[in-house]
């Protein structure tokens, strides 16, 4: 989170830190299949959904806030809060993934 906080000041997206956040988050489950599916998402889907800074990507401060909400709920062992925070975070991903392709580049 600290590196994301620092990177958000640049105003550009930080897909490497975003990916690392999710890998660390899901590694704690001890489920290799989940990690493999996450890797597949990043390899196949992420370039299409805006990792290159498309105008419809959320501003970096929103990504940081959404990640912080997830971490805060998990640290508090607030299951419902974590579910809500993850649902909010993934709604944005789902919305961008469902948009018409705009070409490569």
């Amino acid at each position: 989170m600290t590196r994301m906080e620092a990177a958000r000041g640049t105003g550009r997206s930080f897909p490497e830190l975003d990916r690392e956040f999710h890998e660390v988050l899901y590694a704690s489950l001890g489920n290799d299949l989940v990690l493999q599916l996450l890797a597949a998402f990043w390899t196949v889907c992420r370039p299409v959904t805006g990792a290159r800074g498309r105008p419809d990507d959320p501003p970096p401060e929103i990504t940081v806030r959404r990640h912080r909400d997830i971490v805060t709920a998990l640290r508090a062992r607030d299951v419902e809060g974590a579910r809500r925070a993850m649902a909010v975070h993934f709604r944005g991903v789902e919305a961008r993934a469902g948009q018409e392709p705009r070409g490569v580049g």
Side-chain angles (χ1 to χ4, degrees), residues 39-61:
F41 168 80
W42 282 97
T43 300
V44 176
C45 298
R46 187 65 182 160
V48 175
T49 62
R52 288 179 232 131
R54 286 176 27 171
D56 55 346
D57 275 354
E61 57 271 8

